[in-house]
Amino acid sequence: MGSVRVAHYVNQFFGGLGGEEKADAMPELRPGPVGPGALLQQLLGTEARIVGTVFCGDNRMVEHEADTLPAVVALLRDLAPDLVVAGPAFNAGRYGLACAAVCAAARRELGVPALTAMFSENPGREAADRSVLVAVAGSTAATMKPDLERVAHLALKTLRGESLGPADVEGYFPTGRRVNEFGTETGAERMVQMLLRKLRKETYVSELIVPPFDHVPPAPPVSDLARTTLGIVTTSGVVRTGNPEGIESWRATKWARYPLAGVDALSPDAFTCVHGGYDNRYIRANPHRAVPLDVLRRYTRDGRVGRLHEVLYSTVGNVMPVERARRLGREVAQELRDAGVQAVLLTAT
Amino acid sequence: MNLEIGSFAVRDVEFGARTALRDGILSVDRRALIAHLLEDPSLAEVNVEIARPGDSTRIIHILESAEPRIKVSGARDFPGLLSPPDLAGSGRTHRLESVAVLGTANIPGAADSQGLKEAIVDMSGPGARYHPFAGTVNVVLELTVQAGLSGTEAIAACRRAGLRAAVFLAGTTRELAPDSVESFALAPVDPALPRVAYVMPVMSEGEIHTTFFYGRSVQSLPALVHPNEVLDGALVSADYWIGCHRSPTYLYQNEPVIRALYRGHGAELNFVGVLLCRCLITSQDEKWRQANQAAKVCQMLGIQGAVITMSNGGHAYVDQMLLCQKLEQAGVATVLGVDEYADADGSDFPLVTHVPEATAIVSMGNQEEIVKWPAVERVLGGSEFLAGNAYEQGFQRRPSEPLTVALRQVYCATNQLGWSTLRSRAY
């Protein structure tokens, strides 16, 4: 029997305790495999041993996670596992959420790899952070055997320290990493074949599943512009002539701060545009097309705008990685907040 | 419209006393070719070199690539650019198979934010897999333009030189019988087969970067085009922006999607035609107008399915995604060809934008991947990398030295017409 230790987490139903009426069951530990663990142990063979099974009611875990999760983690810690497996949760939503939480906690607090399995639409999938490997499973326990085969395959590879192949080949949900490789058919051939399958209503696998974009809710309207301190931020790439900050024309890594005190207009001699994502001749000829300082000065003079924050914040918003855009956004927002700016005119191109 | 393309298999290209094709060897009179190109008063200096598969050679500053072609009947060469805008796509065309003309130049002052970007190929080693020219014998033009030309004029001169060299070299075949002949015609097929269009947005952003259709920049009003026109020189690239997803003239002459759709025509599908569109349209209204018009044309033609590619990047994704959305809403099944901006470690969101209707996507790879290539013995095209983005640390070294660079600088590496088997997969 292998010395590699696996701890298994299941819910009250797969732990043999009962159904919905036992969904409040407290965490409990039993030695060795329980329920689906018996088959999982068979599939793991002699290479790894399920040393214990922790189970818990789904409602207990989801509704009282703050107390329950530490208790589960403590029981898992007692098993001194090399790997934690949770589920499969199929399409059981609360069970999926519990598996995701247990795996994330095992990674975080026990420092061991963790693996779960569930159906594609289980809300636990979204909840699982990227450190948790989630195997593809069917929607009901009818696919228990193939699902556990996938779990065992991934568990053994993980325990051996072997790197995993592509998600669709190995049977896990993508963790958000893209890897280039050469295949056998050209992109053109693959496009035409995928189209034919789509037209024939046959199944096809898109090579890129687009995740939903984050939705940024629009801020509420400015109630009284005449009493507002207004800032100007632009991603149009309008910079000081000579681009002293060296802002890149695409995938920019920085932003610039230009004092506007005493500047009534952005002359094409003093300002230019380094954005590389559009034909920027028109903005170079008249930077106000991207940063309407002329109009804002007029509006401030005639009282339509209360006060102008005397700094222009600028960067190039051209194929910037989303994470970096978040960071730059936070940095600029902090400055604006510190300066008491209440609203921002954000111009993009 | 019936096009016959006669291919001449070329095993090697060498310099010789006269320009002729004999027994698969293309002999090139270097001085005559240079003199021919220098008839263009915009050019100050021309050098010609040969880069063969397996050579320890790195070619940089690539602006143009074209396959040597000559029209034997039916129209004149590169209509609209080198000759009046005859209708291309009929008659007979000769091509030198496995030969390419690569035009290179360093145009002073043209590398600003709207100017030229670097484009690199290695003829051997690990880099050879990433571009279409590792298996061709390349006639490399090193071009110097006259002082005082605008960037646009200078680049136009380089483009003309590439095309004129292609015609000059293929002129050797005028009186010869080709080794093989392929015919291209959209013959009537079983009406039960699905009606498929190729929706082809090509790069046209501004005064420097564009694509010529019979000598005019492609417009954002979609044009119904016969695939033979694309294969036969009606479409000429003037895209000098990010190197990895340029669609050069060479790939239009050998357009991979058109080739694949022709292979399926009559067997699995009914190839109705090409809808030539524009990407990198600079106004949102025009983006919407184009997408609506394209969907309308597809509906009028009874199109059931469409492949939608794109060219270059950035907001080209907006153009492509709007086309996808409007076509799907019009009942046309779509498949998209994209390349990805997933960052060097593959972790970033890979697309600039998308629509919910984009459910069938083929990926030509992540252009942010870092590749490392060894030193080379010979560099053609220039002596220093183009001063470009500070992002490219690798460009601080000499071009002959070991190169560490993002795929984005590699010519055609992730081109969305799908010539390559490179793809990006989810892990």
Side-chain angles (χ1 to χ4, degrees):
Chain A
M1 192 57 95
S3 60
V4 177
R5 301 167 67 86
V6 174
H8 194 196
Y9 175 87
V10 296
N11 71 355
Q12 82 281 355
F13 176 75
F14 289 100
L17 216 59
E20 197 59 29
E21 75 284 1
K22 296 286 184 187
D24 278 327
M26 299 293 281
E28 203 176 319
L29 168 67
R30 300 243 174 110
V34 171
L39 179 54
L40 179 59
Q41 179 62 72
Q42 262 184 45
L43 294 165
L44 291 170
T46 56
E47 216 176 315
R49 189 159 55 96
I50 299 178
V51 290
T53 305
V54 174
F55 54 87
C56 175
D58 283 334
N59 287 350
R60 173 67 49 191
M61 178 59 98
V62 173
E63 290 165 17
H64 309 282
E65 188 184 311
D67 307 324
T68 314
L69 190 56
V72 167
V73 170
L75 294 173
L76 291 171
R77 180 178 279 121
D78 290 345
L79 294 169
D82 299 299
L83 171 76
V84 171
V85 174
F90 307 105
N91 201 19
R94 286 166 303 163
Y95 189 17
L97 290 168
C99 287
V102 168
C103 286
R107 292 267 330 176
R108 194 173 57 238
E109 291 175 39
L110 307 183
V112 296
L115 165 65
T116 180
M118 59 189 83
F119 183 60
S120 57
E121 289 168 26
N122 192 315
R125 249 197 79 201
E126 283 290 302
D129 72 46
R130 286 181 175 190
S131 68
V132 174
L133 193 60
V134 184
V136 176
S139 60
T140 69
T143 53
M144 180 68 91
K145 184 151 188 287
D147 292 344
L148 281 180
E149 282 169 351
R150 226 170 280 123
V151 168
H153 163 80
L154 292 168
L156 290 173
K157 275 201 134 180
T158 305
L159 287 167
R160 291 175 198 142
E162 292 174 3
S163 53
L164 295 178
D168 54 348
V169 173
E170 302 272 15
Y172 62 92
F173 291 108
T175 59
R177 196 163 61 93
R178 308 284 298 171
V179 176
N180 279 350
E181 55 186 56
F182 288 96
T184 51
E185 291 180 306
T186 67
E189 289 159 350
R190 300 196 318 272
M191 285 190 274
V192 172
Q193 287 311 312
M194 191 181 290
L195 180 64
L196 289 170
R197 283 192 290 271
K198 191 171 174 178
L199 284 165
R200 293 180 196 127
K201 312 277 184 223
E202 296 168 3
T203 57
Y204 61 88
V205 182
S206 178
E207 297 180 12
L208 217 165
I209 311 284
V210 290
F213 264 129
D214 283 352
H215 181 70
V216 181
V222 177
S223 56
D224 187 0
L225 204 52
R227 292 173 201 280
T228 298
T229 299
L230 187 67
I232 322 173
V233 179
T234 187
T235 59
S236 64
V238 167
V239 299
R240 262 247 182 82
T241 296
N243 190 16
E245 290 77 13
I247 295 184
E248 301 88 343
S249 60
W250 85 107
R251 298 185 70 82
T253 60
K254 52 193 126 178
W255 48 273
R257 178 196 299 106
Y258 300 121
L260 293 177
V263 181
D264 248 11
L266 302 181
S267 86
D269 298 325
F271 286 87
T272 185
C273 178
V274 294
H275 197 294
Y278 60 88
D279 185 349
N280 63 24
R281 276 177 295 169
Y282 307 102
I283 289 176
R284 279 187 281 166
N286 182 359
H288 292 136
R289 289 181 167 130
V291 181
L293 181 67
D294 51 347
V295 174
L296 291 171
R297 287 281 183 229
R298 200 165 75 233
Y299 281 16
T300 313
R301 274 195 299 273
D302 69 19
R304 272 187 276 188
V305 171
R307 202 174 72 83
L308 207 55
H309 177 52
E310 294 291 345
V311 180
L312 166 64
Y313 297 90
S314 179
T315 188
V316 167
N318 188 15
V319 295
M320 185 186 288
V322 175
E323 267 313 309
R324 193 184 304 157
R326 277 202 191 97
R327 172 173 66 77
L328 268 56
R330 271 195 298 267
E331 291 167 0
V332 171
Q334 189 60 51
E335 288 221 357
L336 291 164
R337 188 171 292 216
D338 293 347
V341 172
Q342 295 155 296
V344 168
L345 180 67
L346 175 60
T347 61
T349 43
Chain B
M1 192 174 272
N2 189 1
L3 175 67
E4 286 187 334
I5 298 185
S7 293
F8 294 78
V10 176
R11 285 181 287 121
D12 201 2
V13 181
E14 55 191 33
F15 292 121
R18 63 191 203 93
T19 303
L21 177 66
R22 191 172 302 125
D23 302 328
I25 307 292
L26 178 68
S27 171
V28 177
D29 178 347
R30 195 181 203 168
R31 281 169 50 192
L33 174 55
I34 291 171
H36 178 68
L37 298 180
L38 283 175
E39 286 170 9
D40 187 333
S42 301
L43 293 176
E45 216 176 303
V46 176
N47 182 36
V48 180
E49 299 289 344
I50 295 167
R52 298 183 178 83
D55 283 358
S56 177
T57 297
R58 178 167 296 153
I59 309 169
I60 67 174
H61 298 354
I62 300 172
L63 294 180
E64 313 292 333
S65 60
E67 187 174 73
R69 296 271 185 110
I70 190 166
K71 287 297 293 176
V72 179
S73 66
R76 280 162 286 184
D77 302 307
F78 295 109
L81 278 175
L82 294 192
S83 52
D86 298 342
L87 190 65
S90 299
R92 174 171 287 213
T93 300
H94 282 175
R95 70 187 274 254
L96 294 178
E97 196 179 343
S98 305
V99 179
V101 173
L102 299 183
T104 68
N106 186 9
I107 296 170
D112 73 356
S113 68
Q114 275 296 299
L116 309 178
K117 293 290 173 204
E118 192 51 271
I120 306 167
V121 304
D122 268 18
M123 293 303 294
S124 60
R129 296 183 81 183
Y130 287 95
H131 64 89
F133 304 101
T136 53
V137 182
N138 302 310
V139 177
V140 180
L141 312 179
E142 296 181 311
L143 304 163
T144 308
V145 296
Q146 296 285 5
L149 295 182
S150 71
T152 312
E153 291 167 329
I155 291 163
C158 298
R159 188 166 53 246
R160 276 195 303 275
L163 300 178
R164 291 182 72 229
V167 174
F168 180 91
L169 297 174
T172 54
T173 67
R174 190 179 288 283
E175 308 299 330
L176 304 180
D179 297 312
S180 62
V181 177
E182 274 184 289
S183 284
F184 297 89
L186 291 176
V189 298
D190 178 355
L193 290 170
R195 293 172 66 80
V196 171
Y198 175 20
V199 175
M200 188 184 187
V202 296
M203 159 68 137
S204 183
E205 187 178 33
E207 66 172 345
I208 289 181
H209 306 291
T210 186
T211 302
F212 291 106
F213 182 57
Y214 293 102
R216 282 290 302 273
S217 279
V218 165
Q219 302 296 302
S220 54
L221 193 57
L224 183 62
V225 170
H226 195 289
N228 290 1
E229 297 178 82
V230 177
L231 298 178
D232 203 28
L235 207 58
V236 168
S237 174
D239 180 359
Y240 311 102
W241 194 232
I242 312 298
C244 67
H245 44 203
R246 291 186 200 166
S247 294
T249 305
Y250 182 92
L251 288 183
Y252 291 143
Q253 295 169 304
N254 296 283
E255 220 291 337
V257 177
I258 289 176
R259 286 281 189 156
L261 290 172
Y262 257 130
R263 278 195 292 278
H265 182 65
E268 298 174 295
L269 57 89
N270 181 357
F271 186 11
V272 176
V274 176
L275 202 53
L276 187 65
C277 298
R278 176 182 169 195
C279 60
L280 288 155
I281 299 173
T282 47
S283 100
Q284 185 66 24
D285 278 0
E286 251 190 277
K287 287 178 189 291
W288 277 323
R289 187 183 64 146
Q290 166 170 283
N292 284 327
Q293 290 297 313
K296 176 204 73 181
V297 173
C298 284
Q299 267 187 320
M300 290 175 73
L301 294 172
I303 300 298
Q304 293 158 285
V307 170
I308 310 177
T309 56
M310 64 186 291
S311 198
N312 225 285
H315 60 96
Y317 290 87
V318 178
D319 303 294
Q320 182 195 42
M321 290 293 168
L322 280 176
L323 285 165
C324 165
Q325 184 164 57
K326 296 298 181 185
L327 261 66
E328 289 280 349
Q329 287 171 355
V332 180
T334 62
V335 169
L336 309 182
V338 305
D339 70 337
E340 303 185 16
Y341 295 90
D343 218 342
D345 62 358
S347 69
D348 196 23
F349 185 81
L351 299 178
V352 170
T353 187
H354 63 83
V355 294
E357 290 82 358
T359 56
I361 301 177
V362 169
S363 163
M364 312 306 170
N366 171 23
Q367 58 150 299
E368 307 292 328
E369 186 190 41
I370 306 294
V371 289
K372 294 182 180 185
W373 298 347
V376 292
E377 290 166 13
R378 182 172 68 150
V379 174
L380 298 178
S383 53
E384 280 172 27
F385 288 116
L386 281 188
N389 204 315
Y391 209 68
E392 300 298 348
Q393 300 299 321
F395 282 5
Q396 289 162 9
R397 308 184 75 168
R398 313 275 315 159
S400 59
E401 291 183 301
L403 179 64
T404 298
V405 76
L407 265 189
R408 95 172 66 83
Q409 306 292 353
V410 180
Y411 194 45
C412 307
T414 58
N415 164 277
Q416 303 97 330
L417 306 180
W419 68 271
S420 165
T421 66
L422 184 69
R423 58 189 171 158
S424 191
R425 301 187 76 179
Y427 273 68

